[in-house]
């Protein structure tokens, strides 16, 4: 291999390493990802929820998961004392906790926690929480809130 080709490979390798390091620093510089309880919420998420009027004035936020890598709140799973919501691409889908007929949960190794809620009217909402992001916390909190609202899995005794 000639000296020019070696130098070109070295430069390309250096650019790739710098890109990976820059991406790593960028990810670490933002808010920490994962499921957040109301007392752990980052200000960017609270501001987004308020600006886009996602919560009703009489609702209390219980649990929140920002799906995005950039942590910009543009896609999130949200649990309040009254509803389960999923916000994506400017649209919000919501189910009243008292209208939920069934909640299923399983874990997939590459996807993470998968939670599926079904309403009595047949509507379905799927929430995926990446591995190591607290999916079990979201699921447990959802189940507890649902039970308080009078819900019960059909498969439960």
């Amino acid at each position: 291999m000639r000296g020019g080709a070696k130098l070109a490979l070295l430069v390309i390798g250096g650019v790739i390493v710098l890109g990976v390091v820059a991406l790593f620093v960028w990810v670490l510089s933002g808010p920490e990802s994962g499921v957040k309880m109301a007392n752990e919420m980052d200000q960017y998420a609270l501001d987004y929820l308020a600006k886009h009027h996602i919560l009703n004035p009489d609702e209390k936020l219980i649990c929140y998961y920002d799906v995005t890598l950039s942590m910009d709140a543009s896609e999130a799973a949200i649990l309040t004392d009254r509803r389960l919501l999923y916000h994506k691409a400017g649209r919000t889908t919501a189910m009243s906790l008292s209208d939920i007929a069934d909640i299923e949960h399983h874990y997939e190794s590459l996807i993470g926690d998968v939670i599926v809620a079904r309403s009595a009217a047949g509507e379905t909402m799927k929430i995926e929480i990446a591995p190591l992001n607290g999916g079990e916390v979201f699921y447990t909190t959802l189940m507890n809130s649902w039970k308080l609202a009078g819900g019960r899995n059909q498969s439960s005794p």
Side-chain angles (χ1 to χ4, degrees):
M1 200 183 266
R2 293 190 201 181
K6 287 181 183 177
L7 180 61
L9 285 176
L10 218 80
V11 168
I12 291 170
V15 167
I16 290 171
V17 168
L18 284 175
V20 169
V21 168
L23 178 64
F24 186 71
V25 168
W26 175 73
V27 167
L28 291 179
S29 67
E32 185 178 337
S33 65
V35 170
K36 305 282 177 105
M37 302 306 282
N39 65 308
E40 302 174 299
M41 291 293 292
D42 293 302
Q43 192 61 49
Y44 84 91
L46 294 171
D47 292 345
Y48 188 96
L49 293 173
K51 179 180 177 184
H52 294 87
H53 309 287
I54 294 173
L55 304 182
N56 293 330
D58 59 344
E59 280 183 302
K60 291 182 184 173
L61 179 67
I62 295 176
C63 200
Y64 175 89
Y65 175 64
D66 188 332
V67 179
T68 66
L69 289 176
S70 59
M71 301 299 288
D72 65 6
S74 62
E75 183 175 356
I78 305 155
L79 175 64
T80 74
D81 60 336
R82 296 178 184 208
R83 299 184 298 161
L84 176 64
L85 304 98
Y86 200 90
H87 179 77
K88 181 178 181 178
R91 296 183 323 267
T92 302
T93 303
M95 280 185 191
S96 172
L97 292 175
S98 61
D99 289 341
I100 295 176
D102 188 44
I103 299 173
E104 296 175 3
H105 171 255
H106 67 276
Y107 187 85
E108 296 182 19
S109 58
L110 296 177
I111 294 173
D113 290 272
V114 179
I115 301 165
V116 178
R118 289 183 185 82
S119 74
E123 298 167 313
T124 302
M125 183 185 300
K126 181 172 83 169
I127 298 170
E128 294 177 355
I129 299 177
L132 306 174
N133 274 271
E136 193 69 37
V137 170
F138 194 99
Y139 171 68
T140 301
T141 305
L142 170 59
M143 291 301 291
N144 291 337
S145 298
W146 181 48
K147 287 176 185 172
L148 285 172
R152 188 176 85 106
N153 267 12
Q154 294 173 347
S155 59
S156 298

